Amino acid sequence: MDALSEEDFVIPPVKYEYLDHTADVQLHAWGDTMQEAFEQCAMAMFGYMTDLERVQMTEVQQIEAEGHDKESLLFHFLDELLFMFSAEPFLIAKKVKITKFDLENFKITAIALGEEFTIGKHTQNAEVKAITYSAMQIIDPPEVERPEVFVIIDI
């Protein structure tokens, strides 16, 4: 993993929202690029699990994901991050930065900056049980519009 710069610790503006969905929650994220939309979707997932204002960036974890198309790549990207939270090191990310975003071979390398989830310090909002393909949408419009992603998570 390359050395981190000061910019790696700057939190980007929030570009996601939560949309109601029966028994689940739909994450809607966007960005100036598709890469940013994927990063924001990851942050939406973590933000739904806890109050990110309480999370400090003291640990860095690298994850990799791959798929056979954009949808499976997004699914596996979020699933790897959820696994990182659900198993050692129980990392709750305050920021997710994609360092390699390959849409030709459908591969992502990313770093998650955060800390171990600690009950008492961190609020326990909804538990995310799984990422789903249900109603998943990836909108990659021409240059004038913003890329968007919609993902339903099972809570």
Side-chain angles (χ1 to χ4, degrees), residues 23-25 82 127-132 152-155:
D24 297 320
V25 171
L82 181 57
E127 176 189 357
V128 176
K129 296 176 187 164
I131 311 304
T132 74
I152 293 177
I153 53 174
D154 181 14
I155 56 171

Side-chain angles (χ1 to χ4, degrees), residues 28-31 34 37 137-141 145-150:
H28 172 214
W30 56 92
M34 186 57 67
Q137 292 181 61
I138 296 178
I139 301 167
D140 195 0
E145 297 180 51
R146 67 182 188 193
E148 298 179 64
V149 297
F150 293 84

Side-chain angles (χ1 to χ4, degrees), residues 40-142:
Q40 287 289 324
C41 192
M43 295 318 307
M45 179 180 72
F46 285 116
Y48 201 76
M49 296 190 296
T50 192
D51 176 7
L52 295 179
E53 291 294 317
R54 296 180 177 203
V55 178
Q56 295 180 308
M57 294 185 288
T58 59
E59 296 180 37
V60 179
Q61 182 76 25
Q62 183 170 314
I63 64 115
E64 295 180 0
E66 59 183 270
H68 59 273
D69 58 17
K70 283 183 192 173
E71 288 79 11
S72 64
L73 182 61
L74 179 58
F75 175 91
H76 290 292
F77 172 60
L78 295 174
D79 197 47
E80 284 294 322
L81 290 166
L82 181 57
F83 180 77
M84 178 190 72
F85 172 76
S86 302
E88 289 281 350
F90 309 110
L91 190 79
I92 187 85
K94 185 175 183 100
K95 181 177 181 181
V96 174
K97 180 181 177 185
I98 296 174
T99 55
K100 290 187 180 129
F101 192 64
D102 181 350
L103 289 181
E104 286 184 20
N105 299 302
F106 303 109
K107 293 183 180 185
I108 286 177
T109 302
I111 55 170
L113 297 95
E115 65 182 334
E116 184 177 338
F117 184 83
T118 307
I119 295 172
K121 177 179 182 179
H122 303 113
T123 57
Q124 276 188 288
N125 298 347
E127 176 189 357
V128 176
K129 296 176 187 164
I131 311 304
T132 74
Y133 279 104
S134 174
M136 182 184 283
Q137 292 181 61
I138 296 178
I139 301 167
D140 195 0

